[in-house]
Amino acid sequence: MLSSTDFTSASWELVVRVDHPNEEQQKDVTLRVSGDLHVGGVMLKLVEQINISQDWSDFALWWEQKHCWLLKTHWTLDKYGVQADAKLLFTPQHKMLRLRLPNLKMVRLRVSFSAVVFKAVSDICKILNIRRSEELSLLKPSGDYFKKKKKKDKNNKEPIIEDVLNLESSPTASGSSVSPGLYSKTMTPIYDPINGTPASSTMTWFSDSPLTEQNCSILAFSQTPQSPEALADMYQPRSLVDKAKLNAGWLDSSRSLMEQGIQEDEQLLLRFKYYSFFDLNPKYDAVRINQLYEQARWAILLEEIDCTEEEMLIFAALQYHISKLSLSAETQDFTSESEVDEIEAALSNLEVTLEGGKADSLLEDITDIPKLADNLKLFRPKKLLLKAFKQYWFVFKDTSIAYFKNKELEQGEPVEKLNLRGCEVVPDVNVAGRKFGIKLLIPVADGMNEMYLRCDHENQYAQWMAACMLASKGKTMADSSYQPEVLNILSFLRMKNRNSASQVASSLENMDMNPECFVSPRCAKKHKSKQLAARILEAHQNVAQMPLVEAKLRFIQAWQSLPEFGLTYYLVRFKGSKKDDILGVSYNRLIKIDAATGIPVTTWRFTNIKQWNVNWETRQVVIEFDQNVFTAFTCLSADCKIVHEYIGGYIFLSTRSKDQNETLDEDLFHKLTGGQD
């Protein structure tokens, strides 16, 4: 038998603050516990003492000093290290969060503050009906994001009331499984592939989901363009260092929102973090395609990515076209026609597949690797030399390019032979100026060799550009994607080719366009409004017949073809260096960039990485490449964990395949990105 004094010495008082949703102030509850009591027992005692009849299943204990959840309810207080001085909070795991989507729409929904961010984003994407949640993450906006808006608000006498899409009725409120919304892993098409409207067969699903038909159209359709004034008031990065600041706020995917100091009802940005978009399908991805289009659109308008004036006009024409189709009521009447078109397309595809005459050419493609041979102009940049191109006879076979002084010497030794596997291929094109160039950055042990090729016309450029792009991925022209790639390039060039002979739209159409809405503020300042409108409408002639979803996909493809696409910048200091540099992280490579000039210094490809690790004490990232090449750097503009996660995240995404049926190896993701804190 234990005496009362023995009992008192073995137990102690624990104060727990209860975050009760129905009361404004939190209340302290004192419990008498012992170190061998498990966390589940503490919560049971707590609920009994509170004595309020309600569903407590979503509540858990949060340890304020240690900044962690006590979610392992079978663990004892001793095992967790909880003592009498611990400050514990009994609070719901799911709390309200405001998310700014890529289309700048604000959504308010209930999110798990106890699950790791990777899992929380997966749940959010299921509610919003966005597939491939691993490509997205949450970004805490920097002070610069709000800076210009605050200046504007001071001048406004009337407060601006924002229209927030409230999805509070989401079933995650009670901690139960997430509603699928329209999210489906079946092969049943859930969107019209022509205009992105929900397919009629899935309309009945809306009643069980917070994503109603109206809400779905808000997420899947492009909103009215911002006014030029609103556009000018938004934050625009002016340098690579400014761009690096934008990427400092990515949340750690392997820790929870609460552990990262996120407060209830705080505003975060939901963004596509990894520029590796897998299996984009109009039948299932209307919301995903639209949000991706919007993220690309804002990147162009706010000059987060550079493009030429000619490219800016193409983007403007596509935006204008998409805006018109989105506002038009006619887009709602396509469904019945598109169903017929879809059947016809499927039958024609089947006919092509079954056509016997194709077999010989298919066999030929497998056995014979095609080659390209033609006269091209070459320029190898050297210091103190003018940019002078010299003509050579070029031969492209397998993944290598060789050049000779003339055609007659083709059977002999080439001047130089280069393997393009792993190289960077950058378009250097000005259609109006009849300039069709290809810039090649070929990796060597200590950096990159740079060379420029100049073609005579569009067809030649499309063939050689497509061959170079495939070779950089280790593929030859025998690959089935070669011809479609040639056609894609030609199609993009035709969009750039403004047909001056074509009739520009009527003056009525001119009047309903505000051209400054579709270009960056800097581009708008260079031209008068009427002149800009005429040029946009001229470019619009080439895309005027495109259906809505195709136009968005074409915009995304044009964005992907920009030289700077997919680069995320960080300010770093390389080991042994006395100055700061910019590190660009892409889906397949790391680039060291001179912070002052913006010129790439060295490129390292992920395929050449043997191992990478982080020294968590010195916060230094160390990477080992093939050929005993090492590099190490400390990150100055963000925590090194963010850069570490980017590298591991891209390597994780490269392991995906369609055979996985959309199931992800979450453990592998955390193994590649988590590190050892």
Side-chain angles (χ1 to χ4, degrees), residues 24-42:
E24 289 184 12
Q25 288 188 332
Q26 297 172 339
K27 288 187 177 179
D28 288 346
V29 175
T30 304
L31 303 173
R32 181 157 286 280
V33 298
S34 57
D36 60 358
L37 181 64
H38 55 75
V39 170
V42 174

Side-chain angles (χ1 to χ4, degrees), residues 157-184:
K157 293 179 182 176
E158 293 180 15
I160 299 169
I161 300 169
E162 187 173 10
D163 181 26
V164 177
L165 178 59
N166 201 327
L167 299 178
E168 191 175 354
S169 57
S170 162
T172 50
S174 61
S176 61
S177 62
V178 176
S179 160
L182 290 183
Y183 191 93
S184 171

Side-chain angles (χ1 to χ4, degrees), residues 315-330:
F315 287 122
L318 282 166
Q319 284 179 73
Y320 173 61
H321 184 62
I322 290 163
S323 175
K324 276 183 69 179
L325 288 182
S326 299
L327 290 171
S328 168
E330 291 171 7

